[in-house]
């Protein structure tokens, strides 16, 4: 990593309160912000975040135990240790953002008004008020504004208004912002007096499944992917893939927008561990037509020329460790890989996820699609009357062991690094 001075002083400062693996953070970074601190309670997700965002201080703690002072100390450490600037951080924060767990509000779940996870939105509110940013941004499911759950949003609006923030909420669909997936999410924004709130307008045209994954090779061609999630493509294989690549896929292989460029090897295909199906399942998958469910597994087959349905995360170990249904590949008789899911979610190819399929799919499904987050982030840049600056520092990602820890070892890692 280059240790020279950066343009940080001219980039606005952001804090991520429910970071997950970093999809939201990446989109906000792409819009022109520097994310100094990320808070994430799941140690496996926190490790993957640390791998992909080496400049960000990661706090792996339960959000209810995190204080504004802890975040400010971490932000100062990030500024001093990573940015090497002559000017000390003035303590001002432009944006606090995050997506509190949404299962209690989700239309797919039981929608219990007293679900413990619902109360995490109040923790978001608490830290926003303690940190006093110019702007805040919360992402959640549309179910938060349906039925009795509206009371939660009204409670938040009133509390923020009492402390000088005006706010707005709007539901956005990722497919309207260049993501090849139908995924509607609620964005609740607030700003201090005198700052207008804007929401992004949909972009023209749809990106489809074929745009997202047509250039990725057949995983069954690589025997090594039975036991590892990565394989080095030959120059010939890479050239064959590039002949099929779409404009969308090409943008996911390049340093773009206002994000820090990452050093990575385009020949290395990652997050591609095979799923081993029996012959009966393979035959059923092969017989399933596009956009229909296979009758036994109830898995839906992707339509090559359509949009992916919403990719979901399943549940963590604290709620039964249930695996979310994985779509069937539009051409091949198998479920999609983690990398294919990442492409359908607008993660760039340099972005690495946990080596196991279970954690990898959870990390994708729990994330805000980066391109959707970037669109909202650009609107905030406009609201704050800022001109984004492209950073010159090329980042080298972290230790690969961070993507290999099981939950127990990941927890030990953070206990040792507090």
């Amino acid at each position: 990593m280059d240790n020279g001075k950066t343009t940080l002083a001219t980039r606005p400062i952001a804090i991520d309160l429910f970071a997950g693996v970093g999809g939201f953070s990446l989109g906000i970074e792409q819009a022109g912000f520097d994310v100094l601190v990320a808070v994430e309670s799941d140690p496996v997700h926190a490790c993957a975040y640390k791998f992909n965002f080496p400049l960000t201080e990661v706090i792996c703690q339960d959000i209810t135990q995190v204080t504004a002072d802890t975040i400010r100390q971490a932000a100062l450490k990030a500024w001093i240790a990573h940015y090497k600037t002559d000017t000390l951080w003035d303590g001002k924060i432009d944006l606090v953002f995050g997506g509190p767990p949404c299962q209690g509000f989700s239309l797919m779940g039981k929608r219990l008004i007293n679900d413990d996870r619902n109360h995490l939105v109040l923790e978001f509110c608490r830290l926003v008020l303690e940190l006093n940013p110019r702007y805040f941004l919360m992402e959640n499911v549309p179910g938060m504004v349906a039925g009795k759950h509206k009371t939660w949003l009204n409670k938040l609006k009133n509390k923020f208004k009492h402390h000088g923030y005006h706010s707005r909420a709007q539901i956005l669909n990722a497919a309207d912002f260049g993501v090849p997936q139908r995924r509607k999410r609620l964005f609740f924004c607030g700003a201090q007096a005198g700052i207008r709130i804007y929401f992004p307008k949909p972009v023209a045209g749809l990106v489809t499944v074929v745009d997202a994954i047509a250039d990725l090779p057949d995983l069954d061609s690589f025997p090594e992917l039975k036991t590892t999630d990565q394989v080095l493509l030959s120059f010939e294989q890479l050239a064959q893939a590039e002949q099929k690549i779409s404009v969308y896929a090409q943008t996911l292989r390049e340093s773009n927008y206002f994000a820090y460029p990452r050093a990575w090897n385009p020949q290395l295909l990652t997050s591609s561990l095979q799923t081993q199906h029996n012959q009966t399942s393979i035959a059923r998958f092969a017989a399933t037509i596009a956009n229909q469910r296979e009758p036994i597994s109830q898995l839906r087959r992707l339509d090559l020329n359509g949009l992916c349905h919403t990719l979901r995360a399943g549940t963590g170990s604290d709620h039964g460790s249930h695996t979310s249904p994985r779509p069937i590949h539009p051409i091949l008789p198998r479920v999609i890989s983690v990398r294919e899911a990442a492409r359908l979610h607008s993660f760039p190819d340099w972005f690495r996820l946990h080596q196991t399929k279970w954690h990898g799919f959870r990390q994708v499904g729990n994330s805000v699609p980066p391109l959707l987050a970037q669109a909202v982030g650009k609107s905030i840049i406009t609201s704050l009357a800022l001109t984004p600056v492209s950073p010159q520092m090329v980042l080298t990602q972290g230790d690969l062991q961070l993507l290999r820890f099981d939950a127990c070892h990941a927890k030990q890692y953070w206990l040792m690094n507090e």
Side-chain angles (χ1 to χ4, degrees):
M1 185 186 301
D2 183 355
N3 288 324
K5 295 178 183 178
T6 74
T7 57
L8 177 66
T10 62
R11 285 171 65 91
I13 298 303
I15 307 293
D16 189 345
L17 293 183
F18 294 87
V21 75
F24 209 170
S25 279
L26 179 58
I28 294 300
E29 180 189 312
Q30 289 173 339
F33 289 87
D34 278 313
V35 183
L36 289 193
V37 180
V39 181
E40 171 53 41
S41 62
D42 186 308
V44 174
H45 296 348
C47 282
Y49 189 107
K50 182 176 177 63
F51 177 87
N52 287 292
F53 297 90
L55 293 181
T56 302
E57 280 295 311
V58 180
I59 299 173
C60 184
Q61 291 183 26
D62 184 329
I63 196 74
T64 63
Q65 305 302 310
V66 177
T67 66
D69 285 344
T70 300
I71 291 173
R72 288 185 179 281
Q73 289 170 12
L76 182 60
K77 182 179 179 181
W79 185 289
I80 294 173
H82 297 291
Y83 297 114
K84 308 299 182 185
T85 178
D86 293 334
T87 304
L88 290 179
W89 178 45
D90 61 8
K92 294 180 180 178
I93 299 171
D94 296 285
L95 171 66
V96 172
F97 67 99
C102 61
Q103 290 87 346
F105 301 115
S106 175
L107 296 172
M108 296 291 291
K110 296 180 180 179
R111 290 181 55 74
L112 299 176
I113 195 72
N114 292 319
D115 191 309
D116 288 344
R117 291 167 290 187
N118 296 350
H119 293 271
L120 293 175
V121 300
L122 299 182
E123 295 297 327
F124 176 87
C125 178
R126 171 182 66 85
L127 284 169
V128 167
L129 296 179
E130 290 178 4
L131 292 168
N132 193 36
R134 298 173 66 196
Y135 202 107
F136 71 79
L137 170 63
M138 188 183 78
E139 176 266 355
N140 217 284
V141 291
M144 192 177 183
V145 292
K148 294 180 179 179
H149 289 80
K150 288 181 181 178
T151 58
W152 282 98
L153 190 60
N154 290 334
K155 184 185 298 186
L156 290 173
K157 285 183 176 180
N158 290 334
K159 195 170 184 66
F160 281 122
K161 183 178 180 180
H162 180 73
H163 288 83
Y165 286 92
H166 63 106
S167 60
R168 290 178 58 195
Q170 186 165 323
I171 294 172
L172 302 175
N173 189 340
D176 291 332
F177 299 94
V179 181
Q181 181 185 160
R182 295 186 189 92
R183 190 181 187 91
K184 291 184 178 180
R185 285 296 184 268
L186 174 75
F187 288 89
F188 175 48
C189 302
Q192 293 179 346
I195 300 173
R196 295 185 62 184
I197 295 175
Y198 299 93
F199 282 100
K201 295 181 179 180
V203 299
L206 290 178
V207 178
T208 63
V209 171
V210 68
D211 296 321
I213 65 173
D215 62 300
L216 294 175
D218 181 0
L219 305 188
D220 294 336
S221 304
F222 303 93
E224 52 267 63
L225 291 179
K226 293 180 179 180
T227 57
T228 180
D229 75 327
Q230 64 179 44
V231 63
L232 190 66
L233 302 178
S234 67
F235 287 111
E236 182 180 0
Q237 290 167 331
L238 186 62
Q240 291 173 349
E242 289 177 346
Q243 290 177 359
K244 305 175 185 177
I245 200 165
S246 67
V247 173
Y248 169 80
Q250 187 63 48
T251 64
L252 301 185
R253 296 182 64 80
E254 298 174 344
S255 298
N256 46 29
Y257 314 113
F258 296 100
Y260 287 82
R262 267 68 169 185
W264 70 293
N265 182 359
Q267 283 184 260
L268 190 65
L269 177 67
T270 62
S271 299
S272 295
L273 184 68
Q274 293 177 8
T275 298
Q276 302 299 312
H277 301 295
N278 60 40
Q279 290 302 313
T280 302
S281 296
I282 291 172
R284 293 203 313 266
F285 291 167
T288 304
I289 62 176
N291 208 31
Q292 297 297 314
R293 292 185 185 275
E294 192 280 309
I296 304 299
S297 66
Q298 290 298 301
L299 300 181
R300 185 183 297 276
R301 188 158 209 176
L302 295 175
D303 181 351
L304 200 63
N305 296 307
L307 293 168
C308 178
H309 51 280
T310 302
L311 296 175
R312 304 189 185 281
T315 64
S317 57
D318 56 335
H319 286 85
S321 299
H322 297 297
T323 299
S324 186
R326 300 166 188 172
I328 301 171
H329 193 281
I331 298 174
L332 303 170
R334 61 166 174 81
V335 295
I336 62 172
S337 69
V338 174
R339 175 54 58 197
E340 288 160 345
R343 281 281 192 92
L344 292 164
H345 217 71
S346 75
F347 277 104
D349 285 1
W350 58 257
F351 200 99
R352 297 289 296 266
L353 298 146
H354 194 271
Q355 66 175 358
T356 66
K357 296 189 294 292
W358 186 70
H359 282 303
F361 275 103
R362 281 184 65 218
Q363 290 171 346
V364 172
N366 271 328
S367 298
V368 178
L371 282 184
L372 175 57
Q374 182 222 138
V376 180
K378 287 170 67 177
S379 293
I380 299 172
I381 290 285
T382 299
S383 296
L384 298 178
L386 299 169
T387 301
V389 175
S390 296
Q392 302 303 309
M393 184 190 303
V394 177
L395 304 186
T396 301
Q397 292 162 304
D399 185 346
L400 274 173
Q401 187 59 45
L402 291 166
L403 305 176
R404 295 169 179 162
F405 287 134
D406 60 22
C408 180
H409 287 96
K411 183 176 181 179
Q412 291 176 355
Y413 171 85
W414 289 110
L415 287 173
M416 293 172 58
N417 288 274
E418 287 183 345

